[in-house]
Amino acid sequence: RVTSRKLGMRTESSGRFEKGMDPENTMPALLRACQLVQLLGAGQVVDGIIDVYPCKKSATVIPLEVDRINKFLGVHLSEQYMIDTLKSLEFGYEDGKVIVPSFRADVECMNDLAEEVIRIYGYNKIESTGFVAPMTQGGRNAKQQFTCDVTDALCGMGIDEINTFSFISPKYYDKIRMAENDPRRVSVKISNPLGEDTSVMRTTALPSILEALSYNFSQKNENVHLFEIATVYLPTTPDKLPTETARISMAFYDTSAKGAEPFYEMKGYVEAIMRLAGIPVKFVSETSDKAYHPGRCAKVMLGDTCLGIFGELHPQCAENYGFGCTVCAAELDFDAILENKKTVYEYSSLPKFPAVERDFSFVCDEALQAGDVEEIMVQAGGKTVESVKLFDVYRGPQIGEGKKSLSFAVMLRAADRTMTDEEADKVVNKIMKRLGDAFGITLRS
């Protein structure tokens, strides 16, 4: 058809070939032509045939699915009726399969067989019925539901959701001070990028959210909190697609807040996500990631599994983005959090007996982490320790150089009785002994 229209030549031959010609009809047509030549005395027919047919077209074979055809047509025809009908139309049948004749190139699937059967049976014989369709109940899978839960929680805390491009510039890795030998620098390169700024697929979501935050800072917005559930692309092998994983990235600054502690504010956001997932995590100091301040950065740990990192940006990193204030950021592994998410919750009734609160002020080495102290206190106190909260950290000449004071509020409660002062003192002594043996901690005088 294309060639005929280009040349402007419409012939009987082009019209026939446009609609599809039967290649198996060539030999019968040739023999008939030779027969006519001989009958009409128009020439002499000699022996021998030259047949150039290197790619012989194989016959189309379609399974005869009686139940599907009846359901599709809305009728109740027997298998034998269908076979007889198709054979009358020169279709073949063998071992439950229909062999399509070469001159019916339009028949390719079960629907085409159903059409052949029903046009002989008669469309007028199909009984009218009401419309019936299976109902599928809609819903979200576990990942979609958790995504909505995290989004609702962060939006409820006043953080705005954004969506950024998945492709970035390789220079972004330099802006977050990523080490030269960091494996995250190996990115999937786009074969037809729009430009240098969109030439690779990101392996970390941190640069994307910092770019958005930096733009807001340049527009003189005083208080900006942003988050994104972003996809990162980790390359595998050249012949395979990259591994796509989700990250919860958060970042904020607040130039209007006076005397605020942005690190602990970000820690609160992270804790809220972990409470939502029902995951008991531990925060461990982190100094190796150059994007963050070495003294104000922590990893989120579940046993030996790192679920993410958060903290204040390193001053040099903040300067690279043009920030003139303290900026906090976090990047959490969404897929790892979802994998460890608590799915079964146990109900416990409200306590019937009052609690006993005891405050501790310890003097310890500067390098000791409060999380390690809290863990020992919970282990030593056992079931009677209901909660442990750090409420003060003090450093000063009264404590001594290289030392710090940690103050905890510990809530003690017995499930079956009112705890006496003597019982509480026994738990306290047990806690102090364990802390002394583990870290050499003493009470602050």
Side-chain angles (χ1 to χ4, degrees), residues 154-216:
L154 294 178
C155 289
M157 289 186 285
I159 311 178
D160 296 317
E161 184 178 13
I162 63 172
N163 284 291
T164 59
F165 290 121
S166 296
F167 31 84
I168 61 174
S169 169
K171 297 179 181 178
Y172 284 8
Y173 298 139
D174 296 327
K175 294 183 72 173
I176 62 171
R177 306 179 73 242
M178 184 180 288
E180 292 294 333
N181 60 348
D182 195 309
R184 292 177 297 172
R185 278 187 176 269
V186 181
S187 307
V188 176
K189 296 182 180 180
I190 300 175
S191 58
N192 56 340
L194 298 175
E196 176 67 18
D197 291 341
T198 56
S199 59
V200 298
M201 305 300 291
R202 64 187 176 192
T203 58
T204 171
L206 184 61
S208 300
I209 199 168
L210 291 181
E211 287 290 331
L213 201 69
S214 173
Y215 177 79
N216 278 272

Side-chain angles (χ1 to χ4, degrees), residues 300-354:
V300 185
M301 301 297 296
L302 175 61
D304 296 330
T305 303
C306 180
L307 300 182
I309 187 172
F310 71 94
E312 293 184 14
L313 284 190
H314 192 283
Q316 183 60 54
C317 182
E319 183 180 338
N320 292 341
Y321 284 94
F323 292 115
C325 62
T326 300
V327 178
C328 270
E331 189 174 10
L332 307 177
D333 191 332
F334 179 89
D335 293 333
I337 295 173
L338 177 61
E339 182 180 351
N340 293 280
K341 180 180 179 295
K342 189 175 183 180
T343 57
V344 178
Y345 292 85
E346 296 181 1
Y347 166 78
S348 60
S349 59
L350 293 173
K352 298 179 180 179
F353 302 97

Side-chain angles (χ1 to χ4, degrees), residues 214-228:
S214 173
Y215 177 79
N216 278 272
F217 185 81
S218 67
Q219 299 300 310
K220 310 300 182 184
N221 293 320
E222 293 185 348
N223 177 9
V224 180
H225 291 63
L226 303 177
F227 84 92
E228 179 184 13

Side-chain angles (χ1 to χ4, degrees), residues 43-308:
Q44 183 180 358
V45 178
V46 298
D47 292 336
I49 297 174
I50 299 174
D51 186 10
V52 181
Y53 194 6
C55 301
K56 184 175 177 63
K57 184 179 179 181
S58 59
T60 302
V61 179
I62 306 171
L64 182 62
E65 302 171 278
V66 178
D67 293 337
R68 284 189 64 195
I69 292 176
N70 279 326
K71 186 177 180 181
F72 179 69
L73 297 175
V75 295
H76 302 281
L77 302 178
S78 67
E79 181 180 12
Q80 191 59 48
Y81 178 84
M82 294 184 186
I83 295 173
D84 294 341
T85 301
L86 292 171
K87 283 185 176 180
S88 68
L89 298 174
E90 300 184 48
F91 286 79
Y93 180 79
E94 184 178 347
D95 297 331
K97 297 180 180 179
V98 177
I99 304 170
V100 181
S102 60
F103 60 87
R104 291 300 306 273
D106 58 310
V107 178
E108 299 176 340
C109 60
M110 182 275 293
N111 301 48
D112 297 327
L113 293 181
E115 182 182 359
E116 297 300 312
V117 171
I118 198 63
R119 70 185 181 91
I120 301 301
Y121 177 72
Y123 290 100
N124 59 308
K125 294 181 182 179
I126 300 176
E127 296 181 3
S128 298
T129 58
F131 178 75
V132 179
M135 298 296 293
T136 302
Q137 184 177 359
R140 300 186 180 100
N141 59 31
K143 184 173 183 179
Q144 291 170 334
Q145 184 59 53
F146 188 55
T147 300
C148 292
D149 293 341
V150 171
T151 300
D152 291 343
L154 294 178
C155 289
M157 289 186 285
I159 311 178
D160 296 317
E161 184 178 13
I162 63 172
N163 284 291
T164 59
F165 290 121
S166 296
F167 31 84
I168 61 174
S169 169
K171 297 179 181 178
Y172 284 8
Y173 298 139
D174 296 327
K175 294 183 72 173
I176 62 171
R177 306 179 73 242
M178 184 180 288
E180 292 294 333
N181 60 348
D182 195 309
R184 292 177 297 172
R185 278 187 176 269
V186 181
S187 307
V188 176
K189 296 182 180 180
I190 300 175
S191 58
N192 56 340
L194 298 175
E196 176 67 18
D197 291 341
T198 56
S199 59
V200 298
M201 305 300 291
R202 64 187 176 192
T203 58
T204 171
L206 184 61
S208 300
I209 199 168
L210 291 181
E211 287 290 331
L213 201 69
S214 173
Y215 177 79
N216 278 272
F217 185 81
S218 67
Q219 299 300 310
K220 310 300 182 184
N221 293 320
E222 293 185 348
N223 177 9
V224 180
H225 291 63
L226 303 177
F227 84 92
E228 179 184 13
I229 300 181
T231 303
V232 298
Y233 304 83
L234 307 177
T236 51
T237 56
D239 59 333
K240 291 185 179 180
L241 292 173
T243 301
E244 299 183 23
T245 60
R247 298 284 191 271
I248 304 173
S249 61
M250 297 181 286
F252 73 87
Y253 67 82
D254 189 353
T255 58
S256 61
K258 303 299 181 182
E261 292 287 349
F263 174 84
Y264 292 107
E265 182 180 347
M266 179 60 80
K267 181 173 179 282
Y269 297 146
V270 174
E271 287 176 327
I273 294 174
M274 297 305 160
R275 282 197 300 270
L276 181 66
I279 301 176
V281 296
K282 179 181 178 181
F283 300 104
V284 179
S285 177
E286 170 63 26
T287 59
S288 61
D289 195 317
K290 294 184 179 181
Y292 296 93
H293 193 293
R296 300 170 189 172
C297 175
K299 291 191 295 185
V300 185
M301 301 297 296
L302 175 61
D304 296 330
T305 303
C306 180
L307 300 182

Side-chain angles (χ1 to χ4, degrees), residues 280 348-358 360 374-390 408-419 424 427-428 431:
S348 60
S349 59
L350 293 173
K352 298 179 180 179
F353 302 97
V356 177
E357 184 175 356
R358 295 295 174 90
F360 297 81
E374 181 179 333
E375 185 177 2
I376 292 294
M377 295 175 76
V378 172
Q379 292 176 358
K383 294 182 179 180
T384 56
V385 177
E386 188 173 85
S387 66
V388 178
K389 293 183 179 179
L390 176 70
F408 293 89
V410 180
M411 197 72 70
L412 306 175
R413 192 193 306 269
D416 56 349
R417 66 189 183 281
T418 299
M419 183 176 281
V427 176
V428 169
I431 291 175

